[in-house]
Amino acid sequence: MPIFKAYGDSSFQDCKQASEEAMATITKNLQGKLFLDSESIQARAEAAVLLKKLNFPMDNLKAKLFEKLEQSLEGLQLKHEDIANVLVESNNPSEQGNNTESVPGSAHDALVCEFAEAVRAYQVIFPDSEKQLIKLSQDLIAKHFEITAGYIKEWIPIANFLGALRIIWKDVHLMDKVLREALLPDCSLKASQVAVKQYIKSTFSHLLHDISDSLTNVHIKPKEEAKEHLLVVFLEAGKTAVLQGSVNVLLDFRQLLEENLGGLQLSNLIIVWVREGFQDFFRALHDRLLLISGKNKSASQDENSTEGMQVEKVIPGLVLVLAQLSVFIEQTAIPRITEEIAAYFSGGGGLASENGPALVPGEICRTFHSDGEILLQHYINMITQKILVLLRKRFTAPNWVKHKEPREVHMFVDLFLQELEAKRTEAKQILPHGVLRKHRRSESNGSTASSRSNPLREDKMIRSNTHRARSQLLETHLAKLFKQKVEIFTKTEYTQESVVTTVVKLCLKSLLEFVRLQTFNRSGFQQIQLDIQFLRASLKEIVEDEAAIDFLLDEVIVGASERCLDPIPLEPPILDKLIQAKLAKEKEQTPISL
């Protein structure tokens, strides 16, 4: 150039002209290269540097160059393929060597390196463009975290999540070397905390969904409820989903503790988030079990998702499964999970949880202990209500004042016993046997019954018309019934016999109320006497509190006699003959098994 300036108009005129033509061609080619999409980011940056050396006015191209650089960010977005390649890379460290170009998954690294070189070149070409370059660099990392957050919502395995964080921090360190003014490590630290916390929360949500799914088939297929061992299958599935699912989640979270992502030192925060997450998870599981059972009606009405089940469609067998699952969570799952947490997630560096104590196992155990009792009672109420429909029809349909003389035990007794046997079979699937306590009446109870029954019947047979005598008799009867009430309805245990006994007690108590609403002639009263006497022998085989059942059966007969116009009972020989005839008929109908 100095020679051309001095002698370009004389002896070097042809050379100068040829040189200018060559420079014009190069400049044109470089300009075209700047905006050619097929060229890499780094190649375009090199073209820009060469143009500046050729004294090309770059300010005119600045806006277009930065627009192209911004568009190139779309090709750098985090993809599932990039994460998968990182996993391959981490699983095959021996194949990596020292040449990163040969490592699978380095395509993303190559693109980011090109972007970093472009940023470096633009710093030289446009010294006043630092703010724009900082914004582009921050947008690149922010987009990485935004895409990762989307993956977390869909839920990804822990290995994929850690792979995504490794890619992000590798990009952060690369860009930080080129543009420290962007303060990418500081911004990324906060974003990483948010991502890790979001992943822990999403994992617990996914676990809750898995547990709900393990119980879904019981709800969807009520016709299969009668199949043998069906409830056992779903109870075991629920137990596995809770316990093994929680253990697997803890194993994932241990990987988070062991991972050193760019020296983040998130261990204390992870410990707090995990402990707090388990507390919230069990609270949500408590609500979910009540919702599935139909017990939490308001929640089921508010939910629009498919998990908001209608109370009318909930089958009793599902509620019994949920009751037993609550017992398992209280007695087995929570102690095991607490041990795991104490072993690997203790401490927390004194960091406090946002919502009070991070994990209180005692509170969780009390919650599920209460849930078990509530759900067991809900199960009993559901099957009792079904049986009461049968009893109500029996006592409201006939005209008891015109009842005919009893010839046999009424059909409703068979239906009643069939319903009890069906629920007894259902309970056998998942409830253990209890100690069969045949509480027979003591002498005091026996004397009380005889003093209540015989004088009552004598008074009724005499049929005193004085209002005072009838009122006194009724008051005495109610007072004694109230006195015995606490002894009759005791706490229900998680055993087959206890559940069936409680159902029988509730049914007989309601039967007594139905009787008190009717008026009987002598034949109607005798029919009640016959049915109750047959029930007495049948119920003794399936209940554990014989004394209470006998008492309630007696109360039904007493109540019927009080509402009878002519309370003359059947003679014992006739009563025995009718019962024996019923037993013989049942024996004939029962198939003989060889």
Side-chain angles (χ1 to χ4, degrees):
M1 290 298 293
I3 295 175
F4 287 155
K5 287 181 179 179
Y7 306 103
D9 294 333
S10 56
S11 57
F12 287 93
Q13 185 175 3
D14 293 339
C15 293
K16 180 181 178 184
Q17 184 178 356
S19 175
E20 289 176 349
E21 291 176 356
M23 290 173 60
T25 301
I26 293 173
T27 302
K28 183 178 180 180
N29 290 339
L30 290 175
Q31 281 184 271
K33 200 172 187 178
L34 279 178
F35 305 107
L36 196 61
D37 293 334
S38 60
E39 294 291 339
S40 65
I41 304 173
Q42 187 173 1
R44 281 181 271 178
E46 291 173 354
V49 172
L50 291 174
L51 282 173
K52 184 163 186 175
K53 289 182 178 180
L54 291 173
N55 295 322
F56 188 84
M58 297 298 297
D59 291 340
N60 299 333
L61 302 177
K62 181 178 179 180
K64 290 185 178 181
L65 287 173
F66 272 93
E67 182 181 348
K68 283 290 183 181
L69 188 62
E70 185 175 357
Q71 291 175 358
S72 67
L73 292 179
E74 296 180 4
L76 303 179
Q77 291 181 6
L78 202 57
K79 302 180 183 66
H80 279 294
E81 294 80 5
D82 300 327
I83 299 173
N85 289 334
V86 169
L87 295 180
V88 172
E89 177 184 344
S90 61
N91 292 332
N92 299 280
S94 60
E95 299 178 6
Q96 295 180 22
N98 297 322
N99 186 6
T100 58
E101 294 299 325
S102 64
V103 178
S106 60
H108 176 83
D109 295 341
L111 290 175
V112 176
C113 286
E114 289 182 4
F115 181 79
E117 291 302 320
V119 170
R120 193 194 305 274
Y122 283 18
Q123 283 180 296
V124 176
I125 300 170
F126 307 109
D128 59 343
S129 63
E130 184 178 282
K131 290 183 178 180
Q132 289 175 277
L133 294 174
I134 288 175
K135 183 180 183 305
L136 288 175
S137 301
Q138 291 177 345
D139 287 348
L140 170 65
I141 303 304
K143 192 63 178 179
H144 281 355
F145 280 108
E146 182 181 337
I147 293 173
T148 303
Y151 292 156
I152 292 173
K153 287 182 180 180
E154 300 172 0
W155 195 84
I156 56 175
I158 183 65
N160 293 48
F161 175 65
L162 292 175
L165 290 183
R166 292 190 194 108
I167 292 175
I168 293 173
W169 276 97
K170 193 172 184 180
D171 293 351
V172 167
H173 291 312
L174 178 61
M175 294 302 303
D176 187 54
K177 294 178 181 178
V178 177
L179 193 63
R180 293 190 179 277
E181 293 80 4
L183 301 176
L184 294 180
D186 295 340
C187 301
S188 300
L189 176 60
K190 296 178 181 178
S192 295
Q193 292 178 358
V194 173
V196 171
K197 187 174 183 179
Q198 182 185 4
Y199 182 80
I200 293 174
K201 184 177 179 180
S202 175
T203 301
F204 280 119
S205 177
H206 186 74
L207 175 59
L208 183 63
H209 182 74
D210 284 347
I211 295 172
S212 297
D213 282 350
S214 70
L215 302 168
T216 299
N217 288 334
V218 183
H219 177 75
I220 292 177
K221 302 178 180 178
K223 293 182 180 179
E224 298 184 11
E225 183 186 11
K227 288 187 177 180
E228 189 176 4
H229 306 310
L230 179 66
L231 298 186
V232 178
V233 171
F234 288 107
L235 176 60
E236 292 304 317
K239 289 179 178 180
T240 302
V242 172
L243 182 55
Q244 194 57 49
S246 299
V247 171
N248 291 341
V249 161
L250 284 171
L251 290 175
D252 289 349
F253 293 157
R254 283 173 60 184
Q255 292 188 49
L256 278 177
L257 279 178
E258 295 166 0
E259 186 76 16
N260 183 22
L261 299 169
L264 296 183
Q265 300 298 327
L266 296 179
S267 298
N268 290 334
L269 285 173
I270 291 174
I271 289 173
V272 172
W273 292 335
V274 169
R275 294 172 68 89
E276 184 184 63
F278 263 109
Q279 184 80 9
D280 294 339
F281 162 73
F282 281 116
R283 286 171 181 163
L285 181 59
H286 150 76
D287 293 336
R288 183 63 57 87
L289 294 184
L290 294 182
L291 174 63
I292 294 175
S293 71
K295 188 66 178 173
N296 192 350
K297 296 181 181 180
S298 59
S300 65
Q301 292 172 355
D302 291 340
E303 289 206 4
N304 295 322
S305 65
T306 56
E307 294 173 350
M309 300 177 181
Q310 295 181 8
V311 178
E312 292 78 9
K313 294 184 179 180
V314 178
I315 59 175
L318 172 60
V319 179
L320 185 59
V321 168
L322 297 176
Q324 282 297 92
L325 183 60
S326 297
V327 174
F328 172 80
I329 293 173
E330 176 206 354
Q331 298 179 356
T332 304
I334 293 177
R336 169 73 184 281
I337 294 169
T338 302
E339 289 178 3
E340 292 286 331
I341 292 175
Y344 300 101
F345 295 89
S346 59
L351 296 176
S353 171
E354 297 177 359
N355 303 316
L359 182 65
V360 186
E363 177 187 331
I364 301 173
C365 286
R366 286 191 296 272
T367 297
F368 283 94
H369 179 82
S370 175
D371 286 349
E373 294 181 343
I374 291 172
L375 291 170
L376 183 63
Q377 188 59 48
H378 185 42
Y379 168 74
I380 291 172
N381 292 341
M382 291 177 73
I383 60 179
T384 301
Q385 289 298 321
K386 182 179 179 181
I387 297 175
L388 289 185
V389 174
L390 168 67
L391 300 181
R392 187 177 291 107
K393 288 181 179 179
R394 164 59 182 152
F395 282 90
T396 57
N399 186 348
W400 289 99
V401 177
K402 297 181 180 181
H403 202 281
K404 295 181 180 181
E405 182 179 346
R407 299 293 183 182
E408 61 180 356
V409 177
H410 195 273
M411 181 180 61
F412 103 90
V413 175
D414 295 329
L415 297 175
F416 177 54
L417 292 175
Q418 287 173 11
E419 287 289 340
L420 288 178
E421 183 59 30
K423 297 310 172 185
R424 185 184 174 202
T425 302
E426 183 177 79
K428 282 182 179 179
Q429 294 188 45
I430 56 177
L431 289 178
H433 277 291
V435 179
L436 198 59
R437 301 183 297 273
K438 292 289 184 179
H439 294 309
R440 299 187 181 275
R441 289 193 179 185
S442 62
E443 293 183 1
S444 60
N445 284 340
S447 61
T448 300
S450 61
S451 65
R452 291 160 58 89
S453 301
N454 294 338
L456 173 64
R457 287 171 184 159
E458 291 173 3
D459 289 343
K460 283 292 183 179
M461 290 177 184
I462 295 172
R463 300 189 54 76
S464 172
N465 292 325
T466 62
H467 177 73
R468 178 180 179 184
R470 292 178 64 86
S471 299
Q472 185 177 4
L473 181 64
L474 181 60
E475 290 173 3
T476 302
H477 171 66
L478 291 175
K480 289 183 178 180
L481 179 62
F482 183 81
K483 182 178 181 181
Q484 296 291 333
K485 194 171 184 179
V486 176
E487 298 177 3
I488 293 172
F489 293 99
T490 56
K491 182 180 178 181
T492 307
E493 304 294 337
Y494 292 93
T495 63
Q496 302 168 20
E497 295 80 9
S498 181
V499 168
V500 173
T501 300
T502 303
V503 172
V504 172
K505 288 177 179 178
L506 290 171
C507 289
L508 293 180
K509 186 68 172 64
S510 298
L511 182 59
L512 175 59
E513 298 303 321
F514 292 147
V515 166
R516 288 174 174 170
L517 295 175
Q518 302 298 326
T519 301
F520 303 90
N521 63 1
R522 180 192 299 181
S523 297
F525 167 64
Q526 291 176 349
Q527 182 69 60
I528 298 297
Q529 180 192 9
L530 174 61
D531 294 343
I532 294 301
Q533 191 62 27
F534 183 80
L535 273 176
R536 191 186 303 275
S538 301
L539 293 177
K540 286 181 180 180
E541 303 300 323
I542 62 175
V543 298
E544 65 176 2
D545 193 353
E546 188 177 317
I549 300 302
D550 278 343
F551 177 82
L552 288 170
L553 290 170
D554 286 344
E555 287 300 320
V556 174
I557 296 177
V558 171
S561 69
E562 290 180 347
R563 298 293 300 169
C564 182
L565 301 175
D566 187 16
I568 298 178
L570 285 169
E571 294 295 332
I574 299 176
L575 186 63
D576 184 63
K577 180 180 179 181
L578 293 174
I579 290 177
Q580 291 302 321
K582 175 66 175 175
L583 293 174
K585 185 177 179 181
E586 286 185 346
K587 189 174 182 180
E588 292 176 0
Q589 294 175 349
T590 303
I592 300 176
S593 58
L594 298 177

